[in-house]
Amino acid sequence: MPNAENPISLLENLLKHPGRVVHELQQKQASVLAGWLLLFGIVGIAIYGTVVGAQSGGAPVKLGLGTLLAVLICLPSLYIFTCLGGIDAQLRSVCGALFAAVCLSSILLIGFAPVAWIFSQSTDSIAFMGALHLLFWLIGIRFGLRLIDATGRFLGARSKGHLRIWSVIFILVCLQMTTTLRPIIAPSKTFLPTEKKFFLAHWLDSINGK
């Protein structure tokens, strides 16, 4: 990758030539690149959070923190599933692949931010805005997980099953994290919730107006 140490070049290649980024993550400077990718990913999620939290105000911090926690929680299982899938990869390479996936997802979310902002200014429906943000997030995370899958193939994975199982786990953790750190869209008197709740139960309560 030309100018591998340039952060702007890193983002540009992540969008246009993700294979170059995957290759660089196997080289000596992988730790530096992984650090930039994680930083850009968290900052990008927080930027999108300013649109999500147009009514609550605390969304940028919650989304950035929630993303970081989800990454740290799921990183050990990703490394284990990578090894079980027949991939002889170092931990730094696995970290880099996960950070690159988060970064790519956050870039896509920033691209969706103007669309989300238009709807946030024209409707007060918490359920609709929640569904819209969820749709955008699912699109973003889909492209991110495809990058992890491509990294697995690049490193010689024998099958896709292990990484697909981990992808489901990662999505569930992220969805639960949004409920753990609620409210994200609606305003509230408390910064964090006062009761535990499963994310599906929280969605049903939000749809029913509870």
Side-chain angles (χ1 to χ4, degrees):
M1 185 176 70
N3 301 320
E5 298 180 356
N6 187 333
I8 303 302
S9 176
L10 177 62
L11 292 179
E12 184 177 359
N13 279 277
L14 185 62
L15 286 173
K16 298 180 179 180
H17 308 286
R20 295 180 180 178
V21 178
V22 171
H23 178 269
E24 291 296 331
L25 288 173
Q26 318 309 318
Q27 310 306 316
K28 293 181 179 180
Q29 67 271 27
S31 299
V32 177
L33 295 181
W36 279 116
L37 289 169
L38 179 61
L39 177 61
F40 286 139
I42 300 302
V43 171
I45 293 291
I47 291 175
Y48 183 76
T50 60
V51 177
V52 177
Q55 295 175 318
S56 64
V61 176
K62 290 183 178 181
L63 289 180
L65 177 62
T67 301
L68 180 60
L69 290 176
V71 167
L72 295 178
I73 290 172
C74 294
L75 180 57
S77 59
L78 175 59
Y79 181 71
I80 294 172
F81 275 93
T82 298
C83 295
L84 292 176
I87 302 175
D88 185 15
Q90 297 181 350
L91 180 59
R92 66 180 185 182
S93 300
V94 176
C95 291
L98 179 55
F99 298 165
V102 172
C103 184
L104 181 58
S105 300
S106 70
I107 293 175
L108 290 171
L109 285 177
I110 291 176
F112 290 134
V115 179
W117 180 81
I118 288 295
F119 282 98
S120 68
Q121 300 301 309
S122 57
T123 179
D124 291 327
S125 174
I126 300 299
F128 172 78
M129 289 307 303
L132 183 66
H133 291 309
L134 179 62
L135 174 62
F136 289 160
W137 179 81
L138 287 174
I139 295 174
I141 200 64
R142 169 58 180 163
F143 280 90
L145 293 176
R146 282 181 59 188
L147 182 60
I148 293 180
D149 183 64
T151 303
R153 294 198 304 271
F154 175 78
L155 296 175
R158 292 195 296 264
S159 66
K160 297 181 179 180
H162 297 83
L163 291 180
R164 287 178 177 176
I165 293 174
W166 179 86
S167 297
V168 173
I169 295 173
F170 182 69
I171 291 175
L172 291 176
V173 169
C174 290
L175 293 177
Q176 184 60 36
M177 195 62 66
T178 61
T179 300
T180 302
L181 299 176
R182 70 185 189 280
I184 294 179
I185 301 177
S188 175
K189 296 180 180 179
T190 59
F191 184 73
L192 293 175
T194 57
E195 62 176 344
K196 299 179 181 179
K197 187 176 292 186
F198 182 51
F199 72 88
L200 289 179
H202 173 56
W203 290 357
L204 290 176
D205 289 344
S206 298
I207 293 175
N208 296 327
K210 295 183 180 180

